[in-house]
């Protein structure tokens, strides 16, 4: 459950863990029991995480709420990418404006025949 911040007019700010469905509802102050509204006082701690954990959280959020469609998945993986099939990845082919093809990974020391 996420931690939300609340601001009591008499006692000051406090935090509480609540379900996301109740995020906008006010909370009773733990000191004086007066209803306090939710406020945003500090930046989320999400940005202070290491990049690998931040990427894992983003992947988990995407997969639980909006998984990739097959078209989105194919767009992120080129043909013969090697991670989706047992095939060897295809050679890279670069094409110039004039239409000439070059194969930079095949034999970099060769110019052409």
């Amino acid at each position: 459950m996420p931690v939300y911040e609340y601001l009591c007019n008499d006692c000051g700010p406090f935090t509480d863990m609540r379900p996301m469905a109740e995020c906008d509802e006010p909370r009773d102050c733990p000191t004086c029991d007066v209803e306090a509204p939710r406020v945003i006082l500090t930046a989320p701690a999400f940005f202070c995480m290491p990049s690998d954990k931040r990427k894992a959280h983003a992947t988990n959020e995407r997969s639980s709420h909006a998984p990739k469609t097959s078209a989105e998945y194919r767009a992120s993986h080129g043909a013969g990418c090697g991670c989706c099939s047992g095939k060897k990845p295809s050679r890279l082919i670069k094409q110039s404006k004039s239409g000439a093809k070059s194969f930079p990974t095949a034999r970099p020391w060769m110019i052409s025949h």
Side-chain angles (χ1 to χ4, degrees):
M1 275 195 283
V3 177
Y4 296 106
E5 297 173 322
Y6 299 89
L7 183 60
C8 176
N9 292 333
D10 299 328
C11 305
F14 64 94
T15 59
D16 192 21
M17 288 180 69
R18 299 187 75 180
M20 292 174 74
E22 301 173 7
C23 68
D24 293 328
E25 296 176 12
R27 188 73 172 169
D28 291 339
C29 176
T31 308
C32 64
D33 290 330
V34 174
E35 197 172 77
R38 180 176 167 227
V39 294
I40 300 174
L41 300 173
T42 59
F46 188 70
F47 295 107
C48 300
M49 287 184 178
S51 63
D52 57 338
K53 287 189 180 185
R54 190 170 51 245
K55 185 177 178 183
H57 279 274
T59 301
N60 288 341
E61 274 297 310
R62 184 181 61 245
S63 65
S64 66
H65 292 82
K68 285 184 179 180
T69 63
S70 59
E72 290 172 335
Y73 185 78
R74 276 189 233 112
S76 65
H77 294 272
C81 67
C83 70
C84 304
S85 64
K87 298 178 184 177
K88 287 176 48 178
S90 61
R91 296 190 312 183
L92 295 175
I93 300 172
K94 290 189 178 180
Q95 194 167 7
S96 67
K97 291 181 182 178
S98 65
K101 293 181 182 178
S102 67
F103 303 94
T105 58
R107 295 183 180 142
W109 60 89
M110 290 183 64
I111 296 174
S112 183
H113 298 215

